Amino acid sequence: MEHVLELKNISHSYHNTEGETPALKELSFFLKKGEFISIVGPSGCGKSTLLSLIAGLLIPESGTILINGKQLKESTTNIGYMLQRDHLFEWRTIYNNVILGLEIQHMLTARTRRKAHQLLEQYGLESFANARPSELSGGMRQRAALIRTLVLEPDLLLLDEPFSALDYQTRLTVGDDIGQIIKKEQKTAILVTHDLSEAISPGDRVIVLSERPATVQQTIPLSFSLEEDTPLHRRNAPEFKTYFNLIWKELNRNE
Ligand code: ADP
Ligand code: MG
């Protein structure tokens, strides 16, 4: 099986006037094509640092990051990055927000415009194409942000706590909704979250990170015996609680 992403012994520290903050230590894992992994870990352990390294925004102090078998800096793989805040611009309509990345990357063509409309249509936002972000609910805004990322056709999607700004109720539906969209689009994805249920419901595997400096403490493959394996159905499956307790214990092992 082809590895879209492979991290080998990644270590990284931040340096400032007060000294050194080691954030990641000897961290290794891989991601297969089409796989959805969730990463959980204590607050401040280095999760966002990890995604910034994979996105190429930071350079690791040591270790190797391979994307589709190539060193990160030589890779031409398209990586999509979605953050906690949706970063939609109020002065642009939803459609114009969705195509912003295409514009910036000079990829705006008849085909990609069609793709943008098709995604808006498919995920229930076409009637809001000419609306401003403030006219949409938090969940719809987050969906628009996801469409803006998906329209760039990324081979790898990085999601850094994308639902944490939403209230609990919205978060449940939007989290599951977005999990399902990513599955349907057959994207390879990494979701970072501190919410265990959010990690379990869409994931193929959960990686538990240790306290800072983060390293992989445990990898838990998820398998559900469901006829229709969707994030929402998983929440009611008997296995869900078992996985929840297992990961909970793993997270609190050192306390
Ligand atoms: P998480 O996303 O798991 O909450 P982060 O990756 O954001 O954790 O941060 C890991 C550690 O590195 C934290 O202790 C944080 O304070 C520190 N850190 C993050 N960014 C910087 C930075 N730019 N300069 C110095 N320290 C940083
Ligand atoms: Mg973070």
Side-chain angles (χ1 to χ4, degrees):
M1 192 80 172
E2 194 186 334
H3 288 179
V4 171
L5 174 70
E6 194 166 0
L7 273 77
K8 294 185 207 163
N9 302 316
I10 294 298
S11 297
H12 192 71
S13 304
Y14 291 103
H15 300 270
N16 57 29
T17 47
E18 271 115 71
E20 188 187 37
T21 308
L24 305 174
K25 192 173 174 236
E26 301 280 314
L27 195 144
S28 305
F29 69 86
F30 64 86
L31 194 54
K32 289 182 281 190
K33 195 171 164 57
E35 207 178 13
F36 190 130
I37 65 160
S38 301
I39 296 184
V40 296
S43 165
C45 78
K47 301 182 292 298
S48 295
T49 304
L50 176 62
L51 291 194
S52 297
L53 288 163
I54 297 168
L57 302 173
L58 292 172
I59 310 291
E61 274 183 338
S62 63
T64 321
I65 300 177
L66 298 177
I67 308 241
N68 285 321
K70 277 192 188 155
Q71 296 279 348
L72 186 59
K73 60 177 185 295
E74 282 144 30
S75 156
T76 53
T77 304
N78 203 346
I79 297 176
Y81 204 169
M82 197 167 141
L83 303 161
Q84 186 175 332
R85 289 197 45 236
D86 57 46
H87 295 284
L88 296 174
F89 293 113
E90 187 56 28
W91 46 274
R92 286 188 155 232
T93 63
I94 291 301
Y95 174 75
N96 283 327
N97 268 288
V98 161
I99 61 166
L100 181 62
L102 292 171
E103 257 177 52
I104 294 171
Q105 299 195 21
H106 306 291
M107 283 165 63
L108 202 53
T109 61
R111 187 188 73 83
T112 57
R113 281 177 200 273
R114 259 201 315 279
K115 172 99 188 169
H117 279 297
Q118 180 211 324
L119 286 167
L120 285 167
E121 172 82 54
Q122 195 168 352
Y123 299 118
L125 288 179
E126 183 60 24
S127 57
F128 292 89
N130 296 317
R132 301 283 163 173
S134 61
E135 296 172 65
L136 273 65
S137 69
M140 289 161 90
R141 291 176 64 120
Q142 212 54 358
R143 217 184 299 163
L146 179 68
I147 294 173
R148 182 184 53 196
T149 310
L150 288 176
V151 80
L152 295 167
E153 304 183 328
D155 298 304
L156 176 60
L157 258 178
L158 307 175
L159 308 152
D160 194 353
E161 313 227 20
F163 317 122
S164 50
L166 305 172
D167 64 76
Y168 181 72
Q169 207 65 32
T170 313
R171 209 168 142 164
L172 264 183
T173 42
V174 176
D176 288 344
D177 179 39
I178 284 187
Q180 211 160 346
I181 295 173
I182 292 168
K183 282 258 145 165
K184 201 158 164 217
E185 300 289 323
Q186 297 180 315
K187 291 293 171 197
T188 311
I190 301 179
L191 168 69
V192 160
T193 173
H194 59 261
D195 181 318
L196 299 195
S197 302
E198 207 166 272
I200 298 165
S201 56
D204 295 313
R205 270 191 291 152
V206 174
I207 291 180
V208 181
L209 298 182
S210 68
E211 292 274 352
R212 191 179 65 76
T215 193
V216 174
Q217 180 172 308
Q218 188 70 259
T219 301
I220 296 152
L222 304 172
S223 132
F224 286 78
S225 50
L226 286 167
E227 244 171 64
E228 205 189 334
D229 190 4
T230 66
L232 208 58
H233 285 127
R234 279 189 176 193
R235 287 181 189 263
N236 298 315
E239 295 98 330
F240 195 84
K241 213 169 166 190
T242 313
Y243 285 128
F244 189 99
N245 290 333
L246 184 71
I247 298 165
W248 179 261
K249 261 196 208 135
E250 202 51 56
L251 268 174
N252 294 291
R253 201 166 74 177
N254 307 315
E255 280 181 7

